[in-house]
């Protein structure tokens, strides 16, 4: 990896000691994020997405590898990395406004009371919380409202990187749609760098510039980085008519249905052959694909570069050559 | 529906009260009506043959008299009920307050640190089941002051529920909330006061409520033991005077004050309660 990304994840590994012995969730995850990018990560449940996010947040430490943000190693939690959890993580004894103020005060300790309030209210209004809802406690708010407060808190602290762990997973489809729209709009306004976990393929295509695909665990890895070449601004209702939409969607679904498993089985075979790290080291950077551009090229009558399966040979060849 | 349940409950309570008091009063007057003295009683000079439990009317009369002037002070053995209760409340609140000052920070420490929990647990387990009154001789010997000794006994009996509940509440704070503090780079002090304390407050206050209840139970016994002042001493003194009317009256006052103390803590608990 020659060029430095804003966020650099290198050879990240995480092992847990469990009752049934050691569990290696992943042992070599590498990828990068550029400033202003919106990147989603998709993978089957249990492959280690949340674990990666917690390491990026600094809440959990990796068993191996390192994470750099803006050239500095991530060694613990920081206000530069805002986190939105699936379960909202609001403090239930504080009102919605007070929850946002909590974040703002932590971020800008020098600010006066009035300024903190004004700033917090601005972000609450930005996510559509008004008309008295901002003074209610989380228990008196719907799931969607709570997640809006959580998002407002994260944006109000103006982090350099925003980490979202399945933020809409617990919401009904309708609410999810409107909050997705709001997130899309706010990100367009603020050029926020975002790393988001989701299990919803359509959500990922709507929001992301790039989608990382993870193989199944244990020993999961980020196998592909799928570029979403669909123009912005995007709109939930019209995006499906974009010619690039279905090529991307098909690619993602294919990965989830079969390739995620096939790749992890292939990895297992390599590992069983006794050549874990050194063999795969070169193949660790995710393979970059751009299904939408490929589809456009095909439609334009160009012959698609039908190279060998980008995932296949190096490891096995290396094994044989040993 | 609820309204009518409440109304009906009040009605039933009143009926029960009136019936009980009525029967009590009646049993008394009927036995009094039976004034025909036996030979033996006449020989005994017509004195009351046996100390009878006084009727409610007498107790109400005494209550009216005592409560109309609760703070009179006519020497060591004749003080108003208000003064006696005041002494007891003062001792309970002092001992309880000192216990809170020790138990809550210590409980924080135990709740935050599994090591301290394991290290202190054996001591807590041994000290907790000791009857607070068992400390009294030792306290009197070391402190040499009956006042301070009874405060010490209150201190020792109120400390355990607060200590255990604080540790329990602090250890049980949801990890998500601690993570919120961590991602916002809160200092340990701010984390303790802005996240852990409010999160554990309902549990801590429940411990305080249990403590004050126990303290109020214990102070009566402690004052019976050391004497001098206080409602416990008062009850014992009236018993020695064979003034059962006063004994029953002060029993009722003990119950009343205990209820008020409990209600105060219950209100405070409601104040810090939150819904997840
Ligand atoms: N504290 C832990 N101890 C043991 N195993 C864990 C722990 N946290 C996560 N795991 C395991 O790590 C794997 C990845 O978990 P996670 O990152 O939550 O997956 P995902 O978010 O992709 O669904 C799972 O198999 C999970 O059981
Ligand atoms: Mg997860």
């Amino acid at each position: 990896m020659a060029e430095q990304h804003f966020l650099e994840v290198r050879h990240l590994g995480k092992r847990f000691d469990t009752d049934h012995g050691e569990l290696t969730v992943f042992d070599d995850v590498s990828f990068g994020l550029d400033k202003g990018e919106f990147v989603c990560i998709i993978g089957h449940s249990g492959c280690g997405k949340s674990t990666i996010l917690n390491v990026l947040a600094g809440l959990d430490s990796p068993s191996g590898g390192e994470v750099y943000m803006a050239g500095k190693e991530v060694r613990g939690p920081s206000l530069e990395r805002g986190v939105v959890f699936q379960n909202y993580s609001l403090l239930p004894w504080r009102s919605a406004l007070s929850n946002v103020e909590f974040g703002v005060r932590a971020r800008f300790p020098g600010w006066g009371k009035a300024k903190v309030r004004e700033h917090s209210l601005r972000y609450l209004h930005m996510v559509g919380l008004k008309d008295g809802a901002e003074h209610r406690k989380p228990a008196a708010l719907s799931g969607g409202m709570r997640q809006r407060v959580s998002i407002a808190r994260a944006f109000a602290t103006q982090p350099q990187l925003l980490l979202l762990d399945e933020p809409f997973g617990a919401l009904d489809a309708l609410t999810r749609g409107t909050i997705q729209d709001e997130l899309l709009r706010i990100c367009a306004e603020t050029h926020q760098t975002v790393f988001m976990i989701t299990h919803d393929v359509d959500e990922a295509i709507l929001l992301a510039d790039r989608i990382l695909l993870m193989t199944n665990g244990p020993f999961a890895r980020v196998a592909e980085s799928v570029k979403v070449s669909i123009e912005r601004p995007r709109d939930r209702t019209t995006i499906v008519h974009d010619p690039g939409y279905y090529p991307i969607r098909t690619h993602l679904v294919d990965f989830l249905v079969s390739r995620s498993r096939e790749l992890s089985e292939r990895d297992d075979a390599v590992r069983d052959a006794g050549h874990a790290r050194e063999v795969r080291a070169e193949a660790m950077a995710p393979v970059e694909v751009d299904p939408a551009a490929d589809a456009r090229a095909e439609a334009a009558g160009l012959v698609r570069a039908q190279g060998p399966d980008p995932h296949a040979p190096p490891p096995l060849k290396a094994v044989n050559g040993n | 529906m609820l309204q009518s349940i409440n109304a009906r409950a009040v009605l039933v309570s009143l009926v029960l009260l009136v019936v009980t008091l009525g029967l009590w009063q009646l049993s008394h007057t009927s036995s009094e009506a039976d004034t025909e003295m036996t030979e033996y009683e006449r020989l005994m000079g017509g004195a009351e043959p046996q100390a009878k439990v006084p009727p409610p009317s007498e107790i109400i009369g005494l209550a009216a008299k005592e409560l109309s002037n609760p703070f009179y002070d006519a020497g060591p053995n004749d003080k108003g009920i208000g003064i006696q209760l005041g002494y007891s409340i003062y001792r309970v609140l002092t001992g309880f307050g000192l216990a809170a000052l020790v138990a809550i920070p210590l409980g924080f420490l135990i709740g935050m640190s599994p090591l301290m929990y394991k290290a202190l647990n054996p001591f807590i387990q041994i000290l907790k089941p000791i009857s607070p009154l068992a400390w009294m001789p030792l306290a009197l010997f070391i402190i040499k002051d009956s006042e301070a000794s009874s405060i010490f006994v209150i201190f020792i009996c109120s400390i355990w529920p607060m200590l255990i509940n604080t540790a329990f509440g602090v250890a049980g704070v949801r990890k998500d909330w601690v993570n919120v503090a961590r991602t916002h780079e809160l200092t340990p002090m701010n984390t303790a006061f802005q996240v852990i304390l409010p999160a554990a407050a309902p549990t801590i206050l429940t411990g305080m409520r249990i403590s004050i209840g126990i303290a109020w139970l214990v102070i009566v016994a402690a004052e019976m033991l050391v004497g001098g002042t206080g409602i416990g001493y008062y009850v014992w003194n009236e018993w020695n005077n064979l003034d059962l009317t006063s004994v029953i009256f002060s029993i009722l006052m003990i119950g009343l004050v205990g209820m008020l103390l409990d209600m105060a803590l219950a209100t405070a608990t409601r104040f810090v309660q939150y819904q997840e």
Side-chain angles (χ1 to χ4, degrees):
Chain A
M1 238 175 270
E3 84 267 47
Q4 275 277 329
H5 295 281
F6 168 66
L7 180 80
E8 281 270 343
V9 178
R10 291 193 203 141
H11 309 299
L12 209 60
K14 182 72 189 178
R15 285 181 292 278
F16 287 112
D17 285 319
T18 68
D19 301 338
H20 329 286
E22 195 174 72
L23 169 72
T24 303
V25 184
F26 45 82
D27 73 343
D28 204 339
V29 161
S30 300
F31 61 90
L33 246 75
D34 288 323
K35 191 106 192 134
E37 245 192 328
F38 195 126
V39 172
C40 281
I41 186 162
I42 296 187
H44 282 287
S45 175
C47 70
K49 305 179 295 292
S50 297
T51 309
I52 292 179
L53 187 132
N54 284 337
V55 172
L56 298 191
L59 291 170
D60 201 352
S61 51
S63 318
E66 46 307 315
V67 177
Y68 290 90
M69 192 175 86
K72 282 222 310 266
E73 184 161 10
V74 169
R75 287 189 168 280
S78 158
L79 278 158
E80 293 301 347
R81 290 181 296 279
V83 192
V84 173
F85 296 98
Q86 176 168 7
N87 51 14
Y88 327 123
S89 290
L90 298 174
L91 304 176
W93 55 88
R94 288 171 175 267
S95 69
L97 175 60
S98 169
N99 263 285
V100 179
E101 285 180 338
F102 173 89
V104 175
R105 231 178 289 122
R107 175 79 212 212
F108 308 104
W111 284 12
K113 228 180 151 119
K115 187 157 187 198
V116 168
R117 170 145 303 199
E118 185 236 286
H119 184 86
S120 308
L121 279 173
R122 186 147 58 81
Y123 279 88
L124 276 173
H125 292 166
M126 201 153 138
V127 296
L129 238 88
K130 40 186 150 250
D131 304 327
E134 61 267 43
H135 297 295
R136 274 192 249 151
K137 299 262 169 71
L141 296 171
S142 66
M145 296 273 225
R146 284 185 223 178
Q147 195 54 294
R148 282 164 206 244
V149 178
S150 183
I151 290 171
R153 181 175 66 190
F155 272 96
T157 54
Q158 303 179 334
Q160 289 198 45
L161 172 66
L162 189 59
L163 302 163
L164 307 166
D165 191 349
E166 300 198 28
F168 311 132
L171 305 180
D172 62 277
L174 211 63
T175 314
R176 190 187 309 182
T178 50
I179 305 188
Q180 281 168 357
D181 288 345
E182 264 149 23
L183 186 61
L184 210 52
R185 185 172 49 75
I186 299 169
C187 285
E189 283 168 20
T190 56
H191 305 288
Q192 177 70 51
T193 314
V194 182
F195 179 81
M196 170 168 154
I197 299 175
T198 177
H199 55 248
D200 182 340
V201 171
D202 299 291
E203 177 174 276
I205 302 174
L206 174 67
L207 297 172
D209 297 307
R210 215 141 52 76
I211 300 169
L212 301 175
L213 297 175
M214 275 186 90
T215 60
N216 293 355
F219 294 97
R221 62 188 172 95
V222 175
E224 292 187 13
S225 159
V226 180
K227 192 158 193 274
V228 183
S229 8
I230 296 178
E231 289 288 307
R232 288 182 193 268
R234 297 174 189 161
D235 184 293
R236 210 151 33 91
T237 47
T238 56
I239 192 171
V240 292
H241 302 307
D242 189 286
Y245 189 81
Y246 278 101
I248 297 172
R249 195 177 194 282
T250 311
H251 186 90
L252 299 180
V253 171
D254 264 359
F255 184 91
L256 288 177
V257 170
S258 50
R259 282 206 310 289
S260 61
R261 182 173 41 82
E262 288 163 16
L263 286 171
S264 71
E265 279 167 5
R266 195 176 322 176
D267 287 350
D268 288 345
V270 173
R271 214 173 20 256
D272 291 344
H275 304 273
R277 269 187 95 100
E278 60 275 21
V279 171
R280 282 172 38 211
E282 62 197 281
M284 273 309 93
V287 176
E288 294 183 15
V289 288
D290 188 345
D294 291 350
R296 273 198 297 274
E298 208 169 6
L302 299 171
V303 184
R304 198 160 151 208
Q306 206 53 265
D309 177 355
H311 295 291
L316 291 177
K317 236 189 262 164
V319 171
N320 296 338
N322 236 327
Chain B
M1 179 63 200
L2 209 75
Q3 186 77 45
S4 82
I5 272 205
N6 281 345
R8 288 203 307 247
V10 168
L11 197 70
V12 174
S13 294
L14 284 176
V15 167
L16 282 175
L17 182 71
V18 167
V19 168
T20 314
L21 291 184
L23 285 177
W24 181 0
Q25 181 81 34
L26 239 108
S27 73
H28 195 78
T29 42
S30 68
S31 69
E32 202 142 20
D34 190 30
T35 42
E36 206 58 55
M37 283 195 231
T38 62
E39 183 72 22
Y40 176 72
E41 281 167 348
R42 256 190 283 270
L43 285 174
M44 292 299 288
E48 269 209 64
Q50 65 210 59
K52 272 205 229 85
V53 175
S57 55
E58 240 172 72
I59 295 162
I60 291 167
L62 178 77
K65 191 177 122 253
E66 283 283 347
L67 293 178
S68 64
N69 183 18
F71 296 108
Y72 76 90
D73 188 351
N77 276 336
D78 193 8
K79 294 189 202 310
I81 185 88
I83 291 187
Q84 304 288 23
L85 283 170
Y87 275 115
S88 302
I89 292 171
Y90 156 75
R91 285 170 195 148
V92 161
L93 292 184
T94 311
F96 174 82
L98 291 173
L101 285 181
V102 174
I104 292 172
L106 196 61
F108 246 79
L109 189 70
I110 297 175
M112 301 273 258
S113 147
L115 174 77
M116 289 312 283
Y117 174 81
K118 286 206 162 84
L120 291 177
N121 196 37
F123 298 105
I124 297 175
Q125 294 307 329
I126 287 199
L127 294 175
K128 188 178 60 146
I130 299 172
S131 162
L133 292 169
W135 291 97
M136 189 59 100
L138 196 61
L140 285 168
F141 175 74
I142 293 171
I143 308 175
K144 296 192 172 60
D145 176 61
S146 65
E147 176 78 21
S149 295
S150 39
I151 290 174
F152 173 78
V153 165
I154 294 305
F155 168 85
I156 211 85
C157 78
S158 7
I159 203 163
W160 309 116
M162 282 195 269
L163 184 66
I164 290 162
N165 266 43
T166 304
F168 185 75
V170 167
V173 172
R174 289 234 325 246
K175 205 157 172 258
D176 300 334
W177 302 336
V178 178
N179 280 345
V180 168
R182 293 179 64 202
T183 53
H184 287 85
E185 292 187 57
L186 258 56
T187 60
M189 235 6 178
N190 279 340
T191 306
F193 280 104
Q194 293 188 31
V195 177
I196 295 176
L197 189 61
T203 319
I204 296 176
L205 270 154
T206 303
M208 294 174 87
R209 191 175 165 190
I210 297 170
S211 279
I212 204 132
I214 294 176
W216 189 244
L217 293 181
V218 167
I219 192 65
V220 174
E223 287 168 347
M224 284 180 177
L225 215 55
V226 297
T229 47
I231 191 71
Y233 167 73
Y234 180 80
V235 173
W236 203 248
N237 200 29
E238 296 305 331
W239 159 237
N240 286 336
N241 296 341
L242 282 180
D243 182 355
L244 275 179
T245 316
S246 291
V247 168
I248 295 176
F249 167 64
S250 39
I251 287 175
L252 291 175
M253 291 309 289
I254 292 171
L256 187 72
V257 172
M259 185 182 79
L260 291 177
L261 288 173
D262 186 63
M263 273 166 63
L265 264 296
T267 309
T269 310
R270 219 170 307 127
F271 200 69
V272 298
Q273 197 74 47
Y274 56 83
Q275 218 186 330
E276 275 186 46

